[in-house]
Amino acid sequence: MPTGSRRQWLIGASAALAAPRLLTAAGAGTPLIVTPGQTEGPFYPVKFPADMDADLVRVQGQAAQAVGQVTHILGRVLNPRGEIVRGATVEIWQCDAHGNYNHPGDSGHKRHDAAFQGYGRTQLDADGRYAFRTIRPVAYPGRTPHIHFKVHAPGIGRLTTQMYVAGERQNASDGPLNRIRDSKARDTLIVVLGEAGDLEPGALKGTFDIVLAV
Ligand SMILES: [Fe+2]
């Protein structure tokens, strides 16, 4: 069962998303930019955690909260016409605040944060929206901060990609990010993080809408 605080942020996340938001500056009839795919990388879970809900900051059964700055990532999954892609599952995974993935291929670290879930999965709600509570992604050697995403809409489409944070110095030199040559497409992966406000005081939030080529 979700804790009281978990319920609170889920309710808050829905409220924060209630206002319609223009996805792009495109005029009526102009298709939305399809979210570019990115490499899955070597750290997609080989074994899913027992707790794999949308709150990565809390691991069920653990009193401690994950190290790092709490960050809410909210968004929708759409088709290029701006319509909701119903039935989609959204997965995310990222390293902990020390730069370590919860993955045997990234083991041996002394400072692994066991209180960070590392992976989460959620379904879109009736309005086509998803919400994750996680930590602000951090850099690790060779990579700018990012969160891995995988979206699967059965019978419709799937996408594996990565989300980046606006203003990060290493964005300019990050290999996977800059392999996207089209700057408009690249920009769709870069999310501005701001204060979460009433959603969760002291936390950050950002909106990452995903457009599937369906
Ligand atoms: Fe990664």
Side-chain angles (χ1 to χ4, degrees):
M1 287 292 289
T3 62
S5 62
R6 186 171 298 180
R7 264 196 301 273
Q8 259 169 14
W9 75 254
L10 279 169
I11 291 165
S14 298
L17 280 164
R21 198 181 73 86
L22 212 57
L23 188 74
T24 72
T30 306
L32 301 176
I33 298 171
V34 172
T35 306
Q38 291 256 275
T39 173
E40 181 172 289
F43 300 122
Y44 183 77
V46 290
K47 181 170 176 262
F48 293 107
D51 180 2
M52 53 182 191
D53 66 3
D55 183 356
L56 283 68
V57 178
R58 290 275 182 195
V59 174
Q60 216 163 29
Q62 287 207 36
Q65 174 168 302
V67 177
Q69 187 166 19
V70 174
T71 300
H72 293 259
I73 304 295
L74 318 169
R76 299 173 294 172
V77 180
L78 304 166
N79 66 25
R81 296 177 298 284
E83 299 159 343
I84 295 162
V85 175
R86 300 202 181 274
T89 299
V90 183
E91 301 168 84
I92 65 169
W93 66 103
Q94 68 185 96
C95 64
D96 66 20
H98 309 304
N100 306 319
Y101 282 91
N102 184 12
H103 188 284
D106 197 24
S107 60
H109 302 285
K110 288 181 180 154
R111 291 206 307 154
H112 174 69
D113 181 10
F116 182 56
Q117 196 172 289
Y119 169 90
R121 178 188 292 183
T122 192
Q123 299 267 307
L124 299 189
D125 69 13
D127 296 323
R129 302 175 190 282
Y130 72 85
F132 286 101
R133 181 174 183 253
T134 186
I135 60 169
R136 181 187 175 117
V138 302
Y140 57 82
R143 291 303 315 278
T144 196
H146 60 280
I147 299 175
H148 295 265
F149 272 74
K150 195 183 275 198
V151 179
H152 181 211
I156 301 175
R158 60 172 66 230
L159 177 74
T160 301
T161 193
Q162 300 180 32
M163 187 212 93
Y164 300 84
V165 177
E168 289 287 348
R169 186 178 47 83
Q170 293 178 72
N171 284 353
S173 58
D174 187 78
L177 178 57
N178 291 286
R179 275 198 280 278
I180 305 167
R181 291 293 178 198
D182 180 335
S183 63
K184 283 186 180 165
R186 190 167 63 238
D187 285 349
T188 65
L189 299 185
I190 302 174
V191 170
V192 175
L193 297 181
E195 289 181 12
D198 291 344
L199 183 58
E200 185 173 346
L204 298 173
K205 75 171 176 186
T207 302
F208 181 43
D209 286 336
I210 295 164
V211 180
L212 297 184
V214 295

